[in-house]
Amino acid sequence: MADEKHKPKAVIVGGSIAGISSAHTLIKAGWEVQVLEKSPSPPTACSTGAGLGLDPLSQRLLQSWLSHPELLLQSTSPLTTEQNRAIDGESKRGRILSYDENLNFRAALWTDLHSLLYNELPPDIFLWGHLFLSLSISDDKTSVRIKAKVVETDEIVEIVGDLLVAADGCLSSIRQTFLPDFKLRYSGYCAWRGVFDYSENENSETVINVHKAYPEISKSVYFDFASGTHFLLFEIPKKKINWLWYVNQPELQLKARSMTMKVNEEILRKLHEQVDEIWVPEFAKVVRETKDPFINAIYDCDPLEQLVWDNVVLVGEAAHPTTPHCARSTNMAILDAAVLGKCLQKWGAQGLKSALIEYQSLRLPVVSAQVLHSRRAGRIKQGLTLPDCEPFDPNVATSIQNFPELQIRNIPFIDDVPQVIDLA
């Protein structure tokens, strides 16, 4: 239990899924919470990262934070199967390499999940439009002072807390404070991404044909492979189809503080030509009719050696930037928040140092293994070289027996529930 004489205060920098998940678990642990977010208001629409898959553990944790747990089921849809297929270059027909009927994920819209969590929190804990600038830890290591700029007015404000939770994403400024030489690692490929919205034209030829070509799309995630490239495809709520197409290419020159890039008409024209050459026509038509697709450069980093510095702790992508191949980013962030909250509750405000040490000891081995596994899976899927095996060639593959990384079920620690979390 928290010390009743002094209710400890945590400042969370970042109001995305990692940040608001941490707000839930810290409040439950008896902490006062303040969330700083540079965006001017809660998100209402988001194309970047619009579709995501929630694993069974995340589903149970999220439901435990909601006053009406059934809302999670109502706002998501089942992803019960995973299919890996090879696409023949000439006939464009799909050949099944693996079929897993026990995925038990749920598909969600990023904004729906964010809203679900946000609406359960007191609105006055959020400081929207506040850009993190710097931090300083007190000499006795008992408090941390954060400077932020109010984006609308340029006013500089200071906030003091007992704990700083860095949930500021893969380009984390807080992480850079402690690791000034840190650099993200480019994977060697980018992803074309888009969300095809057919809610206003459910009976179009494109919609009918894609459901014929991918008959289980309402409950299945499809991975289609061609030489040196692959894509994933699954349906998300509100009659939308989420797709990502990975292409090997040199590193993009992106604008600062961004992993994505909008495309001009010339680049879009080349995309449409390429999709017709490589993929089944039903998927190609979906790509052609998707409004405002964008390019997402794929980065990760070698596992960090620590997640905690005095009374500063990293969660989410700030702690473990990862490639998206194993549906880990959001799921790792949710479990980070759950473990952090339970450790703080276990040790109390006076045991903050012990709580953070335990959090780090529980999470580092798991997230490190998962980041490296996802990296390896991405290289296999893209036909890139690995030191211990020949490149994956979907043209000759009859199964994925020699490449178990291609199935989500083989992620290390995927069913791991830390002892500190009681789901009874």
Side-chain angles (χ1 to χ4, degrees):
M1 296 292 292
D3 184 349
E4 295 180 1
K5 295 180 181 178
H6 167 67
K7 190 172 186 178
K9 179 177 180 179
V11 181
I12 300 171
V13 175
S16 191
I17 299 296
I20 59 174
S21 295
S22 298
H24 274 275
T25 61
L26 267 64
I27 289 173
K28 288 182 179 295
W31 284 61
E32 178 186 346
V33 168
Q34 190 94 68
V35 182
L36 274 64
E37 169 55 47
K38 64 183 178 182
S39 301
S41 60
T44 56
C46 180
S47 58
T48 56
L52 54 90
L54 298 171
D55 66 29
L57 177 55
S58 289
Q59 294 170 43
R60 285 179 285 170
L61 290 171
L62 290 167
Q63 287 182 307
S64 74
W65 304 340
L66 300 175
S67 55
H68 298 283
E70 69 276 6
L71 290 177
L72 182 69
L73 299 180
Q74 294 171 9
S75 63
T76 59
S77 56
L79 279 177
T80 58
T81 61
E82 175 195 2
Q83 300 187 46
N84 287 283
R85 313 190 319 164
I87 303 300
D88 180 76
E90 294 184 5
S91 69
K92 302 291 193 296
R93 291 179 178 175
R95 186 176 72 257
I96 293 178
L97 302 177
S98 71
Y99 186 90
D100 182 2
E101 295 182 279
N102 298 297
L103 186 60
N104 296 324
F105 275 49
R106 293 193 71 84
L109 274 167
W110 188 94
T111 43
D112 284 356
L113 180 60
H114 189 280
S115 295
L116 199 61
L117 292 171
Y118 173 73
N119 291 335
E120 291 275 334
L121 293 168
D124 59 355
I125 71 172
F126 288 87
L127 293 176
W128 298 102
H130 281 62
L131 177 65
F132 169 83
L133 296 177
S134 65
L135 68 94
S136 59
I137 299 172
S138 63
D139 291 339
D140 62 2
K141 313 296 186 185
T142 61
S143 65
V144 57
R145 183 180 300 270
I146 297 95
K147 284 188 177 181
K149 181 174 74 172
V150 182
V151 176
E152 189 173 330
T153 64
D154 287 340
E155 176 190 1
I156 305 300
V157 298
E158 292 190 356
I159 302 169
V160 178
D162 302 283
L163 171 67
L164 171 58
V165 180
D168 53 341
C170 65
L171 294 170
S172 171
S173 299
I174 297 172
R175 183 187 60 223
Q176 209 71 30
T177 301
F178 298 100
L179 301 171
D181 298 325
F182 174 91
K183 290 184 179 179
L184 291 172
R185 168 198 161 275
Y186 179 58
S187 65
Y189 50 90
C190 293
W192 284 95
R193 303 188 66 166
V195 176
F196 175 61
D197 186 344
Y198 66 90
S199 57
E200 296 182 358
N201 197 4
E202 297 179 39
N203 298 314
S204 71
E205 183 181 357
T206 299
V207 174
I208 292 170
N209 287 341
V210 77
H211 280 89
K212 285 182 179 178
Y214 299 91
E216 296 184 27
I217 195 172
S218 64
K219 66 172 186 177
S220 185
V221 55
Y222 285 88
F223 293 92
D224 278 10
F225 298 92
S227 292
T229 185
H230 80 286
F231 74 75
L232 71 86
L233 186 73
F234 63 92
E235 199 157 71
I236 51 181
K238 300 180 180 178
K239 301 190 184 304
K240 293 176 171 62
I241 294 175
N242 190 67
W243 60 268
L244 287 85
W245 171 19
Y246 297 91
V247 179
N248 296 336
Q249 65 180 72
E251 187 173 4
L252 295 172
Q253 296 301 311
L254 297 166
K255 293 181 180 180
R257 316 302 297 171
S258 176
M259 292 287 129
T260 63
M261 182 179 77
K262 292 184 178 181
V263 296
N264 57 37
E265 289 187 8
E266 176 62 18
I267 296 176
L268 195 57
R269 182 183 62 80
K270 292 180 179 178
L271 166 70
H272 291 164
E273 289 177 355
Q274 288 180 310
V275 76
D276 286 334
E277 292 174 4
I278 300 171
W279 298 117
V280 300
E282 294 85 358
F283 172 69
K285 197 78 181 297
V286 166
V287 171
R288 282 179 166 275
E289 295 184 16
T290 296
K291 293 181 179 179
D292 302 320
F294 60 95
I295 299 176
N296 189 176
I298 306 300
Y299 291 85
D300 67 3
C301 76
D302 292 337
L304 302 182
E305 295 182 357
Q306 64 186 98
L307 305 176
V308 171
W309 288 265
D310 296 318
N311 48 352
V312 179
V313 58
L314 307 183
V315 299
E317 287 277 311
H320 37 73
T322 186
T323 59
H325 304 292
C326 298
R328 287 297 86 206
S329 179
T330 299
N331 290 297
M332 281 197 287
I334 291 169
L335 192 49
D336 287 346
V339 173
L340 177 61
K342 289 297 186 179
C343 288
L344 293 173
Q345 188 174 40
K346 172 183 174 181
W347 290 95
Q350 300 304 313
L352 177 59
K353 182 177 180 180
S354 296
L356 296 183
I357 289 173
E358 183 172 19
Y359 165 80
Q360 179 172 272
S361 68
L362 288 171
R363 294 304 290 147
L364 258 185
V366 175
V367 300
S368 298
Q370 293 187 344
V371 166
L372 294 177
H373 180 90
S374 185
R375 178 188 297 183
R376 181 177 174 87
R379 293 192 67 82
I380 292 171
K381 291 181 178 189
Q382 287 300 102
L384 298 171
T385 58
L386 287 167
D388 58 345
C389 64
E390 292 296 317
F392 174 61
D393 184 356
N395 291 324
V396 299
T398 57
S399 72
I400 63 167
Q401 182 176 355
N402 296 327
F403 300 96
E405 296 88 350
L406 296 185
Q407 276 193 305
I408 292 173
R409 67 157 65 190
N410 294 320
I411 300 166
F413 299 105
I414 188 169
D415 295 321
D416 180 70
V417 181
Q419 284 189 331
V420 72
I421 293 179
D422 180 9
L423 288 174

